[in-house]
Amino acid sequence: MKDILLQVAQVLTVLLLSPLLHGFIVKMEEKVQRGQGPSILQPYRDLWKLFHKTQLVPETATWVFFAAPVVAFVAMMIVPMLIPVLTNFPLPLSDMGDILGGGLILTLGSFFILLAGLDTGQPFGGLGSSRAVMLGILAEPTLILVFVGITFLDHSMLPFVANHLLAQNPVAYWSPAHIFLIFAFLILLTVETDRLPIHSTIPYEIYMIDEARILEYSGPLLALLKWASWMKQFILYTIFLNVFLFPWGLSMSGDLGSVLLALLIILAKYGAVGLFMVMVDTVQSRLRFYRYQEPLALSFLFAVLAIVADQL
């Protein structure tokens, strides 16, 4: 029974804290640019407002328009069952998928949002979807290589095994293969969370990618899409921190005290990485879209070097 409650707590942690992480990052971005910025609780207010608005549907929309937000949201609620969010030991449903399975579920949500961008036939949606596909051509193989690299390192495809190995074995943690994997995943993190310097979330810029795909949405469906996007960001931070960069601080016993302590550590380390991403996003100059392959090629190179280093 305790393990089932912990499993539910993991999902609720991602569900409830993902808007807070997004609000914190937006607030810090404004602070760095010497602005006041909205409250870090603003995403919760936005969700409340959107869920109480009337749903408008374009005349050209099909079933894909309605299914995409639901599929994306549900997919983001499945992944927290497979990865170490609060505990460093597997929970009842953790063995229903490995690290590659979790990656495929994340991709499924992104795929339906891509279809939604094309569904209504509006030019901005098609533009955003086509650009997302161009990014995915390099990003997805690199992500698979990173997962293959961590699999070679710990001889298992379960993220909990990688967490245990890296937390308890300093030789494996400081090995060149693991260092290369951290750099490769960090660059992928900027791509998947819209921090690559070709992204823009400002609606009137032609460089927007993810925002362009959901311009036709409003009301509750837009709330689901935004919430799913914030959950995806939280999940990627979880994989990066709890599996790759900082595999310590999770509950080892599952007791209430240790879980609450793990929750506090999560807030601290996620905030630290969030600040780092804000600095990356602020310091980097905006690049032309067709230079997207440069950081992604570097990430691919790091992933290949990690596999080669592991085999030497």
Side-chain angles (χ1 to χ4, degrees):
M1 186 63 184
K2 185 177 77 172
D3 287 349
I4 295 175
L5 291 176
L6 287 171
Q7 189 102 67
V8 174
Q10 290 213 146
V11 177
L12 290 178
T13 299
V14 176
L15 188 69
L16 299 178
L17 292 186
S18 54
L20 183 66
L21 176 63
H22 178 75
F24 174 77
I25 292 174
V26 172
K27 180 75 174 181
M28 290 302 108
E29 281 180 338
E30 294 293 332
K31 287 287 186 184
V32 170
Q33 297 171 12
R34 300 183 179 181
Q36 183 62 32
S39 164
I40 62 172
L41 301 179
Q42 187 60 41
Y44 296 102
R45 296 171 186 156
D46 291 341
L47 289 177
W48 177 266
K49 181 177 64 178
L50 288 172
F51 276 120
H52 288 81
K53 281 197 169 184
T54 303
Q55 179 66 54
L56 300 178
V57 180
E59 293 181 353
T60 55
T62 68
W63 65 270
V64 174
F65 184 85
F66 298 96
V70 178
V71 171
F73 190 79
V74 172
M76 299 311 151
M77 293 184 69
I78 294 175
V79 179
M81 301 179 189
L82 312 176
I83 58 177
V85 180
L86 293 174
T87 67
N88 71 344
F89 54 87
L91 296 170
L93 298 178
S94 300
D95 58 351
M96 69 178 183
D98 52 28
I99 195 166
L100 282 178
L104 289 175
I105 294 173
L106 285 177
T107 304
L108 176 66
S110 302
F111 176 68
F112 264 83
I113 295 176
L114 187 149
L115 292 181
L118 297 170
D119 183 60
T120 57
Q122 298 300 319
F124 271 111
L127 191 65
S129 294
S130 64
R131 286 174 171 172
V133 169
M134 292 176 71
L135 289 175
I137 289 173
L138 271 179
E140 297 300 332
T142 306
L143 184 63
I144 292 174
L145 272 183
V146 170
F147 288 161
V148 169
I150 196 69
T151 301
F152 282 167
L153 192 64
D154 60 18
H155 304 289
S156 172
M157 298 186 74
L158 294 175
F160 288 94
V161 177
N163 172 276
H164 275 258
L165 174 73
L166 296 173
Q168 299 174 0
N169 189 342
V171 175
Y173 184 87
W174 293 108
S175 65
H178 181 236
I179 301 298
F180 284 135
L181 287 176
I182 289 176
F183 283 124
F185 199 93
L186 181 60
I187 296 174
L188 285 176
L189 201 61
T190 65
V191 177
E192 298 291 347
T193 58
D194 300 348
R195 302 296 163 190
L196 196 68
I198 60 168
H199 283 280
S200 175
T201 56
I202 302 174
Y204 52 80
E205 286 194 9
I206 62 171
Y207 295 105
M208 59 183 178
I209 299 174
D210 287 343
E211 290 290 328
R213 294 184 293 177
I214 60 174
L215 275 180
E216 296 299 315
Y217 281 95
S218 61
L221 291 181
L222 180 59
L224 284 181
L225 283 171
K226 285 186 174 293
W227 206 345
S229 171
W230 300 336
M231 289 169 68
K232 181 181 179 182
Q233 176 178 255
F234 195 95
I235 289 168
L236 290 171
Y237 274 41
T238 301
I239 297 173
F240 179 63
L241 286 167
N242 293 349
V243 177
F244 286 90
L245 182 63
F246 197 85
W248 303 279
L250 300 178
S251 171
M252 293 186 287
S253 62
D255 295 335
L256 180 60
S258 63
V259 171
L260 292 177
L261 179 62
L263 202 56
L264 291 177
I265 295 175
I266 280 177
L267 292 174
K269 61 185 183 182
Y270 285 37
V273 174
L275 281 177
F276 176 77
M277 298 301 283
V278 167
M279 295 303 297
V280 169
D281 195 30
T282 305
V283 171
Q284 285 192 112
S285 302
R286 187 69 58 191
L287 298 178
R288 296 175 65 183
F289 176 76
Y290 290 104
R291 293 183 62 184
Y292 73 93
Q293 72 273 22
E294 295 175 10
L296 286 172
L298 181 61
S299 176
F300 186 85
L301 177 62
F302 279 134
V304 172
L305 287 175
I307 294 176
V308 172
D310 183 70
Q311 300 301 312
L312 292 178

Coordinates of all heavy atoms in Angstrom, one line a residue, residues 73-140:
F73 N -1.3 15.2 -22.5 CA -1.4 15.3 -21.0 C -1.3 14.0 -20.4 O -0.5 13.8 -19.4 CB -2.7 16.0 -20.7 CG -2.9 16.4 -19.3 CD1 -2.3 17.6 -18.8 CD2 -3.6 15.6 -18.4 CE1 -2.4 17.9 -17.5 CE2 -3.7 16.0 -17.0 CZ -3.1 17.1 -16.6
V74 N -2.0 13.0 -20.9 CA -1.9 11.6 -20.3 C -0.5 11.0 -20.4 O 0.0 10.4 -19.5 CB -2.9 10.7 -21.0 CG1 -2.8 9.3 -20.5 CG2 -4.4 11.2 -20.7
A75 N 0.2 11.3 -21.6 CA 1.5 10.7 -21.7 C 2.5 11.3 -20.7 O 3.3 10.6 -20.1 CB 2.0 11.1 -23.1
M76 N 2.3 12.6 -20.3 CA 3.2 13.2 -19.3 C 2.8 12.7 -17.9 O 3.7 12.8 -17.0 CB 3.0 14.7 -19.4 CG 3.4 15.3 -20.7 SD 5.0 14.7 -21.3 CE 4.8 14.9 -23.0
M77 N 1.7 12.1 -17.7 CA 1.3 11.5 -16.4 C 1.8 10.1 -16.3 O 1.9 9.5 -15.2 CB -0.2 11.6 -16.2 CG -0.7 13.0 -16.0 SD -2.4 13.0 -15.6 CE -2.4 12.4 -14.0
I78 N 2.1 9.4 -17.4 CA 2.6 8.0 -17.4 C 4.1 8.0 -17.1 O 4.6 7.2 -16.3 CB 2.3 7.3 -18.7 CG1 0.8 7.2 -18.9 CG2 3.0 6.0 -18.8 CD1 0.4 6.6 -20.2
V79 N 4.9 8.9 -17.7 CA 6.4 8.8 -17.5 C 6.8 8.9 -16.1 O 7.8 8.2 -15.7 CB 7.0 10.0 -18.4 CG1 8.5 9.9 -18.2 CG2 6.6 9.8 -19.8
P80 N 6.2 9.8 -15.2 CA 6.7 9.8 -13.8 C 6.6 8.5 -13.1 O 7.2 8.3 -12.0 CB 5.7 10.8 -13.1 CG 5.3 11.7 -14.2 CD 5.2 10.8 -15.4
M81 N 5.8 7.5 -13.6 CA 5.7 6.2 -13.0 C 7.0 5.4 -13.2 O 7.3 4.4 -12.5 CB 4.5 5.4 -13.5 CG 3.2 6.1 -13.3 SD 1.8 5.1 -14.0 CE 0.5 6.2 -13.8
L82 N 7.7 5.8 -14.3 CA 8.9 4.9 -14.7 C 10.2 5.5 -14.3 O 11.2 4.8 -14.4 CB 8.9 4.9 -16.3 CG 7.6 4.5 -17.0 CD1 7.8 4.6 -18.5 CD2 7.1 3.2 -16.5
I83 N 10.3 6.7 -13.8 CA 11.6 7.3 -13.4 C 11.6 7.7 -12.0 O 10.6 7.8 -11.3 CB 11.8 8.6 -14.3 CG1 10.6 9.6 -14.1 CG2 11.9 8.2 -15.8 CD1 10.8 10.9 -14.8
P84 N 12.8 7.8 -11.4 CA 13.0 8.2 -10.0 C 12.7 9.7 -9.8 O 13.5 10.5 -10.1 CB 14.4 7.8 -9.7 CG 15.1 7.9 -11.0 CD 14.1 7.5 -12.0
V85 N 11.5 10.0 -9.2 CA 11.2 11.4 -8.9 C 11.4 11.7 -7.5 O 12.1 12.6 -7.1 CB 9.7 11.6 -9.3 CG1 9.3 13.1 -9.0 CG2 9.5 11.3 -10.8
L86 N 10.8 10.8 -6.6 CA 10.9 11.0 -5.1 C 11.8 9.9 -4.5 O 12.4 10.2 -3.5 CB 9.5 11.0 -4.5 CG 8.6 12.2 -4.8 CD1 7.3 12.0 -4.2 CD2 9.2 13.5 -4.3
T87 N 11.7 8.7 -5.0 CA 12.4 7.6 -4.4 C 13.4 7.0 -5.3 O 13.4 7.2 -6.5 CB 11.4 6.4 -4.1 OG1 10.9 5.9 -5.3 CG2 10.2 6.9 -3.3
N88 N 14.5 6.4 -4.7 CA 15.5 5.8 -5.5 C 15.3 4.3 -5.7 O 16.3 3.6 -6.1 CB 16.9 6.1 -4.9 CG 17.1 5.3 -3.7 OD1 16.2 4.8 -3.1 ND2 18.4 5.3 -3.2
F89 N 14.1 3.8 -5.4 CA 13.9 2.4 -5.6 C 12.6 2.2 -6.4 O 11.7 3.1 -6.4 CB 13.7 1.6 -4.2 CG 12.7 2.3 -3.3 CD1 11.3 1.9 -3.4 CD2 13.0 3.2 -2.4 CE1 10.4 2.5 -2.6 CE2 12.1 3.8 -1.5 CZ 10.8 3.4 -1.6
P90 N 12.5 1.1 -7.2 CA 11.4 1.0 -8.1 C 10.1 0.8 -7.3 O 10.0 0.2 -6.3 CB 11.7 -0.3 -8.9 CG 13.2 -0.5 -8.7 CD 13.5 0.1 -7.3
L91 N 9.0 1.4 -7.9 CA 7.7 1.3 -7.3 C 6.8 0.3 -8.2 O 7.3 -0.1 -9.2 CB 7.1 2.7 -7.3 CG 7.9 3.7 -6.4 CD1 7.4 5.1 -6.6 CD2 7.7 3.2 -4.9
P92 N 5.6 0.0 -7.8 CA 4.9 -1.1 -8.4 C 4.8 -1.1 -9.9 O 4.9 -2.1 -10.6 CB 3.5 -1.0 -7.8 CG 3.7 -0.4 -6.4 CD 4.9 0.6 -6.6
L93 N 4.6 0.1 -10.5 CA 4.5 0.1 -12.0 C 5.8 0.6 -12.7 O 5.7 0.8 -13.9 CB 3.3 1.1 -12.4 CG 1.9 0.7 -11.9 CD1 0.9 1.7 -12.3 CD2 1.5 -0.7 -12.4
S94 N 6.9 0.6 -12.0 CA 8.1 1.1 -12.6 C 8.7 0.2 -13.6 O 9.5 0.6 -14.5 CB 9.1 1.4 -11.5 OG 8.7 2.4 -10.6
D95 N 8.3 -1.1 -13.5 CA 8.9 -2.0 -14.4 C 8.1 -2.2 -15.7 O 8.4 -3.1 -16.5 CB 9.1 -3.4 -13.8 CG 7.8 -4.0 -13.2 OD1 6.8 -3.2 -13.2 OD2 7.8 -5.1 -12.8
M96 N 7.1 -1.4 -15.9 CA 6.2 -1.6 -17.1 C 6.9 -0.9 -18.3 O 6.4 -1.0 -19.4 CB 4.8 -1.1 -16.9 CG 4.7 0.4 -16.8 SD 3.0 0.9 -16.6 CE 3.2 2.7 -16.5
G97 N 8.0 -0.2 -18.1 CA 8.7 0.4 -19.2 C 10.1 0.8 -18.8 O 10.4 1.1 -17.6
D98 N 11.1 0.8 -19.7 CA 12.5 1.2 -19.4 C 12.7 2.6 -19.8 O 11.8 3.3 -20.2 CB 13.5 0.2 -20.0 CG 13.2 0.0 -21.5 OD1 12.6 1.0 -22.1 OD2 13.5 -1.0 -22.1
I99 N 14.0 3.0 -19.9 CA 14.3 4.4 -20.2 C 13.9 4.7 -21.7 O 13.5 5.8 -22.0 CB 15.8 4.7 -19.9 CG1 16.0 6.2 -19.8 CG2 16.7 4.0 -20.9 CD1 17.3 6.6 -19.2
L100 N 14.1 3.7 -22.5 CA 13.7 3.9 -23.9 C 12.2 4.0 -24.1 O 11.6 4.8 -24.8 CB 14.2 2.8 -24.8 CG 15.7 2.9 -25.2 CD1 16.1 1.7 -26.0 CD2 16.0 4.2 -25.9
G101 N 11.5 3.2 -23.3 CA 10.0 3.3 -23.3 C 9.5 4.7 -22.8 O 8.6 5.2 -23.4
G102 N 10.1 5.2 -21.8 CA 9.8 6.5 -21.3 C 10.0 7.6 -22.4 O 9.2 8.5 -22.6
G103 N 11.1 7.4 -23.1 CA 11.4 8.4 -24.2 C 10.4 8.3 -25.3 O 10.0 9.3 -25.9
L104 N 9.9 7.1 -25.6 CA 8.9 6.9 -26.7 C 7.6 7.5 -26.2 O 6.9 8.1 -27.1 CB 8.7 5.4 -27.0 CG 9.9 4.8 -27.7 CD1 9.7 3.3 -27.9 CD2 10.1 5.4 -29.1
I105 N 7.2 7.4 -25.0 CA 6.0 8.0 -24.5 C 6.1 9.5 -24.6 O 5.1 10.2 -25.0 CB 5.7 7.6 -23.1 CG1 5.4 6.1 -23.0 CG2 4.5 8.3 -22.5 CD1 5.3 5.5 -21.6
L106 N 7.2 10.1 -24.2 CA 7.4 11.6 -24.4 C 7.3 12.0 -25.9 O 6.6 13.0 -26.2 CB 8.8 12.0 -23.9 CG 9.0 12.0 -22.4 CD1 10.4 12.4 -22.1 CD2 8.1 13.0 -21.7
T107 N 7.8 11.2 -26.7 CA 7.8 11.5 -28.2 C 6.3 11.4 -28.7 O 5.9 12.1 -29.6 CB 8.7 10.5 -28.9 OG1 10.0 10.6 -28.4 CG2 8.7 10.8 -30.4
L108 N 5.6 10.4 -28.1 CA 4.2 10.3 -28.6 C 3.4 11.5 -28.3 O 2.6 12.0 -29.2 CB 3.5 9.1 -27.8 CG 2.0 8.9 -28.1 CD1 1.8 8.4 -29.5 CD2 1.4 7.8 -27.1
G109 N 3.6 12.1 -27.1 CA 2.9 13.4 -26.8 C 3.3 14.5 -27.8 O 2.4 15.2 -28.3
S110 N 4.6 14.6 -28.1 CA 5.1 15.6 -29.0 C 4.5 15.4 -30.4 O 4.2 16.3 -31.1 CB 6.6 15.6 -29.0 OG 7.1 15.9 -27.7
F111 N 4.4 14.1 -30.8 CA 3.9 13.8 -32.1 C 2.5 14.2 -32.3 O 2.1 14.8 -33.4 CB 4.1 12.3 -32.3 CG 3.5 11.8 -33.7 CD1 4.1 12.1 -34.9 CD2 2.4 11.0 -33.7 CE1 3.6 11.7 -36.1 CE2 1.8 10.6 -34.9 CZ 2.5 10.9 -36.1
F112 N 1.7 14.0 -31.3 CA 0.3 14.4 -31.5 C 0.1 16.0 -31.5 O -0.7 16.5 -32.2 CB -0.6 13.8 -30.3 CG -1.3 12.6 -30.7 CD1 -0.6 11.4 -30.7 CD2 -2.6 12.6 -31.2 CE1 -1.2 10.2 -31.1 CE2 -3.2 11.4 -31.6 CZ -2.5 10.2 -31.5
I113 N 1.0 16.7 -30.7 CA 1.0 18.1 -30.8 C 1.4 18.6 -32.2 O 0.9 19.6 -32.8 CB 1.9 18.7 -29.7 CG1 1.3 18.4 -28.3 CG2 2.0 20.2 -29.9 CD1 2.2 18.8 -27.2
L114 N 2.4 17.9 -32.8 CA 2.8 18.2 -34.2 C 1.6 18.0 -35.1 O 1.4 18.9 -36.0 CB 4.0 17.3 -34.5 CG 4.7 17.5 -35.8 CD1 6.2 17.1 -35.7 CD2 4.1 16.7 -37.0
L115 N 0.9 16.9 -35.0 CA -0.3 16.7 -35.8 C -1.3 17.8 -35.6 O -2.0 18.2 -36.6 CB -0.9 15.3 -35.6 CG -0.1 14.1 -35.9 CD1 -0.8 12.8 -35.6 CD2 0.3 14.1 -37.4
A116 N -1.5 18.2 -34.4 CA -2.5 19.3 -34.1 C -2.1 20.6 -34.8 O -3.0 21.3 -35.3 CB -2.6 19.5 -32.6
G117 N -0.8 20.8 -34.9 CA -0.4 22.0 -35.6 C -0.7 22.0 -37.1 O -1.0 23.0 -37.7
L118 N -0.8 20.8 -37.7 CA -1.1 20.7 -39.1 C -2.6 20.5 -39.3 O -3.1 20.7 -40.5 CB -0.4 19.4 -39.7 CG 1.2 19.4 -39.6 CD1 1.7 18.1 -40.0 CD2 1.7 20.5 -40.6
D119 N -3.3 20.1 -38.3 CA -4.7 19.7 -38.5 C -5.6 20.8 -39.0 O -6.4 20.5 -39.9 CB -5.3 19.2 -37.1 CG -6.7 18.7 -37.2 OD1 -6.9 17.7 -38.0 OD2 -7.6 19.2 -36.6
T120 N -5.5 22.0 -38.5 CA -6.5 23.0 -38.9 C -6.1 23.7 -40.3 O -6.9 24.4 -40.8 CB -6.5 24.1 -37.9 OG1 -5.2 24.7 -37.7 CG2 -7.1 23.6 -36.6
G121 N -4.9 23.4 -40.8 CA -4.5 24.0 -42.1 C -4.0 25.4 -42.0 O -3.9 26.1 -43.0
Q122 N -3.9 25.9 -40.8 CA -3.4 27.3 -40.6 C -1.9 27.4 -40.9 O -1.1 26.5 -40.5 CB -3.7 27.9 -39.2 CG -5.2 27.9 -38.9 CD -6.0 28.7 -39.9 OE1 -5.6 29.8 -40.2 NE2 -7.2 28.2 -40.3
P123 N -1.4 28.5 -41.5 CA 0.0 28.6 -41.9 C 0.9 28.6 -40.7 O 2.0 28.0 -40.8 CB 0.1 29.9 -42.7 CG -1.2 30.7 -42.3 CD -2.2 29.7 -42.0
F124 N 0.6 29.3 -39.6 CA 1.5 29.3 -38.5 C 1.7 27.9 -37.9 O 2.8 27.5 -37.5 CB 1.1 30.3 -37.4 CG 1.6 31.6 -37.6 CD1 0.8 32.7 -38.0 CD2 2.9 31.9 -37.4 CE1 1.2 34.0 -38.2 CE2 3.4 33.2 -37.6 CZ 2.6 34.2 -38.0
G125 N 0.6 27.1 -37.8 CA 0.7 25.8 -37.2 C 1.6 24.9 -38.1 O 2.4 24.1 -37.6
G126 N 1.4 25.0 -39.4 CA 2.2 24.2 -40.3 C 3.7 24.6 -40.2 O 4.6 23.7 -40.3
L127 N 3.9 25.9 -40.1 CA 5.3 26.4 -40.0 C 6.0 25.8 -38.7 O 7.1 25.3 -38.8 CB 5.3 27.9 -40.0 CG 6.6 28.6 -40.1 CD1 7.2 28.4 -41.5 CD2 6.5 30.1 -39.9
G128 N 5.2 25.9 -37.6 CA 5.8 25.4 -36.4 C 6.0 24.0 -36.4 O 7.1 23.5 -35.9
S129 N 5.1 23.2 -37.0 CA 5.2 21.7 -37.0 C 6.4 21.3 -37.9 O 7.2 20.4 -37.6 CB 3.9 21.1 -37.6 OG 2.9 21.3 -36.6
S130 N 6.6 22.0 -39.1 CA 7.7 21.7 -40.0 C 9.0 22.0 -39.3 O 10.0 21.2 -39.4 CB 7.5 22.4 -41.3 OG 7.7 23.8 -41.1
R131 N 9.1 23.1 -38.6 CA 10.4 23.4 -37.9 C 10.6 22.4 -36.8 O 11.8 22.0 -36.5 CB 10.3 24.8 -37.3 CG 10.4 25.8 -38.4 CD 10.2 27.2 -37.9 NE 10.6 28.2 -38.9 CZ 10.4 29.5 -38.7 NH1 9.8 30.0 -37.6 NH2 10.7 30.4 -39.7
A132 N 9.6 22.0 -36.1 CA 9.8 21.0 -35.0 C 10.3 19.7 -35.5 O 11.1 19.0 -34.9 CB 8.4 20.8 -34.2
V133 N 9.8 19.3 -36.7 CA 10.3 18.1 -37.4 C 11.7 18.2 -37.7 O 12.5 17.2 -37.5 CB 9.4 17.7 -38.6 CG1 10.1 16.6 -39.4 CG2 8.0 17.4 -38.2
M134 N 12.1 19.4 -38.2 CA 13.6 19.6 -38.6 C 14.4 19.4 -37.4 O 15.5 18.9 -37.4 CB 13.7 20.9 -39.3 CG 13.1 21.0 -40.6 SD 13.2 22.7 -41.3 CE 14.9 22.8 -41.7
L135 N 14.0 20.0 -36.2 CA 14.8 19.8 -35.0 C 14.8 18.3 -34.6 O 15.8 17.8 -34.1 CB 14.2 20.7 -33.9 CG 14.3 22.2 -34.0 CD1 13.5 22.9 -32.9 CD2 15.8 22.6 -33.9
G136 N 13.7 17.7 -34.7 CA 13.6 16.3 -34.3 C 14.5 15.4 -35.0 O 14.9 14.3 -34.5
I137 N 14.8 15.7 -36.3 CA 15.6 14.8 -37.1 C 17.0 14.6 -36.5 O 17.6 13.5 -36.6 CB 15.7 15.4 -38.6 CG1 14.4 15.3 -39.3 CG2 16.8 14.8 -39.3 CD1 14.4 16.0 -40.6
L138 N 17.5 15.6 -35.8 CA 18.8 15.5 -35.2 C 18.6 15.2 -33.7 O 19.4 14.5 -33.1 CB 19.6 16.8 -35.3 CG 20.5 16.9 -36.6 CD1 21.2 18.2 -36.6 CD2 21.5 15.7 -36.6
A139 N 17.6 15.8 -33.1 CA 17.4 15.7 -31.6 C 17.0 14.2 -31.2 O 17.6 13.7 -30.2 CB 16.4 16.7 -31.1
E140 N 16.1 13.6 -31.9 CA 15.6 12.3 -31.5 C 16.7 11.2 -31.6 O 16.9 10.5 -30.6 CB 14.4 11.9 -32.3 CG 13.2 12.8 -32.2 CD 12.7 12.9 -30.8 OE1 12.9 11.9 -30.0 OE2 12.2 13.9 -30.4

